[in-house]
Amino acid sequence: MFIKSDNEFLEYCGRIYCEADKKVFIYPCSYVKLKFRGKYIKAIVDNNQGYWENYLGCILDGRQSKIKLSDDNYKQELILMENTDSNEHEVMLFKRQDSCHEVGLYGFEVDEDAVLLQLPEKPKGKIEVYGDSVSAGEVSEAFDYMGKPDPNWHMGELSNSYYSYAWLTARKLNAQIHDIAQGGIALLDNTGWFNEPNYIGMESVYDKVRYNPAFGKPVKWDFNNYTPDVVIVAIGQNDSHPDDYMAEDYNCAKAKNWREHYRDFILKLKTIYPEAHIVLCTTILEHHKNWDNAIEEVCREIADEKIHHFLFEKNGSGTPGHIRLQEAEKMSDELAEYIESFGISSLRRGEC
């Protein structure tokens, strides 16, 4: 029995691009869930590769695994479960990586006698994150490299958005998440690392559902589709490339320009989500403290009771490499506790 991607028993979360016969997963943490009674299940997908090796995450009956995708853009079948008893099963497929690739889901194939079951209600709380590779969970599975530079041999297999501080925080607060995170991205165009050498910044990405020029023209996102209780803006770590002007001269023209654009960006989000709490931060990834000073200055200038500046315990000094799961757990504990202090009724602290 084939279950089309638009079947009412499928649950989606994330900024997902809808085409005629498939759902396209672009951002990390985007997922589809299905609950059923049956003996086997496979997913029919395609993979539009940009770079790295590409993997999908799968959680079947509480056990997590990853599935390597072929590099071509033809349909491929992913066997998720076979030759089991006809019991109840729950499966979640999720995007482990950022727009180094796009995955199209056409649907699922289950045995003919399978029965689709209703999933539990989605959490009512909602979080949205604007960030870079740290928010995407890049290289988070390099467990033996905690507090160290990244291993030079990885090719994408160590990136897992499920272990990002962003998704960990959302799960601890029993919240949905839209993770608008892209490795290498800065605030401004022509800075950072994303889409080298024609760098694209978050100012050009935040309002898109499809944004990587390698995959076609940009597609606008309809903000009416998702209204978060909390918005986390974790930008300011890739902005030092190619010039760390904020560190060199806090009051130079480039530094003042960045602060003006950052302020405008936050006020745009405030206009889009007037009732949301907005948390401004960077992370424990090593960077100069002047970037955090700039964020603090902007926060004070805006002077809105629902716009907050948050610093992690090891902010900017925790690691020279990406954030591993062990470090992300600590970050998410700190951030969840901070968000909990806002007293938002739809966000309930629980275990991850």
Side-chain angles (χ1 to χ4, degrees):
M1 178 172 63
F2 183 66
I3 305 165
K4 293 183 179 179
S5 62
D6 62 355
N7 189 285
E8 63 180 355
F9 282 90
L10 299 182
E11 174 187 296
Y12 292 92
C13 188
R15 281 194 190 178
I16 296 170
Y17 183 48
C18 300
E19 294 189 352
D21 58 346
K22 64 180 178 180
K23 309 288 187 184
V24 182
F25 295 74
I26 297 168
Y27 289 98
C29 302
S30 303
Y31 71 73
V32 58
K33 280 185 180 180
L34 174 64
K35 187 175 182 180
F36 71 104
R37 185 182 296 110
K39 297 180 179 179
Y40 80 86
I41 183 170
K42 60 185 177 183
I44 292 82
V45 304
D46 60 28
N47 181 46
N48 201 349
Q49 184 203 35
Y51 50 92
W52 296 118
E53 294 176 345
N54 304 148
Y55 296 81
L56 266 184
C58 178
I59 298 179
L60 175 64
D61 298 336
R63 298 185 64 180
Q64 184 177 167
S65 62
K66 65 176 182 279
I67 305 168
K68 186 176 180 182
L69 301 170
S70 64
D71 296 341
D72 57 56
N73 198 27
Y74 297 105
K75 285 185 181 179
Q76 48 194 286
E77 296 182 351
L78 309 178
I79 297 175
L80 308 181
M81 184 189 74
E82 60 180 346
N83 301 323
T84 66
D85 294 332
S86 185
N87 296 325
E88 287 188 11
H89 303 281
E90 186 173 316
V91 62
M92 178 172 77
L93 279 184
F94 65 93
K95 189 83 162 13
R96 285 171 57 102
Q97 298 167 276
D98 59 21
S99 78
C100 62
H101 70 131
E102 292 185 355
V103 176
L105 173 73
Y106 294 87
F108 294 94
E109 186 75 38
V110 295
D111 44 295
E112 288 300 323
D113 296 330
V115 178
L116 303 186
L117 303 173
Q118 198 71 44
L119 284 159
E121 187 179 0
K122 267 186 180 181
K124 290 184 169 58
K126 296 178 181 178
I127 288 176
E128 188 158 81
V129 179
Y130 294 88
D132 53 29
S133 56
V134 177
S135 298
E138 193 164 311
V139 205
S140 58
E141 287 188 352
F143 304 125
D144 296 332
Y145 291 79
M146 189 174 73
K148 302 176 182 179
D150 294 341
N152 58 14
W153 47 264
H154 78 93
M155 289 295 293
E157 72 275 24
L158 300 178
S159 296
N160 186 355
S161 64
Y162 197 77
Y163 293 149
S164 67
Y165 81 89
W167 206 352
L168 283 163
T169 299
R171 294 200 300 275
K172 287 174 180 178
L173 292 174
N174 193 31
Q176 302 175 46
I177 184 172
H178 279 203
D179 194 14
I180 316 309
Q182 171 59 50
I185 204 165
L187 174 67
L188 308 177
D189 289 345
N190 302 314
T191 58
W193 302 90
F194 174 55
N195 199 51
E196 187 177 10
N198 301 309
Y199 306 110
I200 297 174
M202 185 57 75
E203 286 184 325
S204 297
V205 168
Y206 82 99
D207 60 349
K208 308 294 192 307
V209 63
R210 170 175 274 162
Y211 60 95
N212 190 333
F215 304 132
K217 293 182 179 180
V219 178
K220 285 276 192 177
W221 168 250
D222 183 352
F223 286 99
N224 292 315
N225 290 335
Y226 185 84
T227 303
D229 301 289
V230 175
V231 177
I232 299 163
V233 181
I235 291 290
Q237 298 174 140
N238 293 308
D239 304 71
S240 60
H241 183 264
D243 302 310
D244 198 351
Y245 49 83
M246 196 70 73
E248 294 165 2
D249 184 356
Y250 186 82
N251 291 309
C252 71
K254 284 185 176 180
K256 290 178 179 178
N257 179 67
W258 189 89
R259 292 195 290 273
E260 289 173 3
H261 278 257
Y262 186 84
R263 181 179 183 274
D264 290 344
F265 179 62
I266 301 307
L267 290 177
K268 283 178 185 175
L269 294 177
K270 180 65 178 178
T271 300
I272 295 168
Y273 304 127
E275 300 303 318
H277 285 264
I278 302 177
V279 178
L280 315 181
C281 65
T282 52
T283 72
I284 68 171
L285 184 67
E286 287 183 357
H287 60 271
H288 197 278
K289 65 181 181 180
N290 275 0
W291 292 99
D292 299 301
N293 292 339
I295 292 171
E296 173 65 18
E297 180 180 329
V298 171
C299 187
R300 288 180 180 274
E301 285 178 356
I302 295 174
D304 186 300
E305 63 180 5
K306 286 191 173 182
I307 297 179
H308 319 266
H309 183 204
F310 175 74
L311 294 171
F312 293 97
E313 183 179 314
K314 294 184 177 180
N315 210 89
S317 61
T319 177
H322 282 87
I323 313 303
R324 320 306 174 196
L325 170 60
Q326 304 97 309
E327 297 158 320
E329 283 279 10
K330 178 68 163 58
M331 289 174 61
S332 65
D333 280 339
E334 294 176 31
L335 187 54
E337 183 179 0
Y338 183 70
I339 291 172
E340 197 176 25
S341 71
F342 302 159
I344 301 170
S345 61
S346 60
L347 298 177
R348 300 291 185 185
R349 185 68 182 269
E351 290 301 319
C352 177

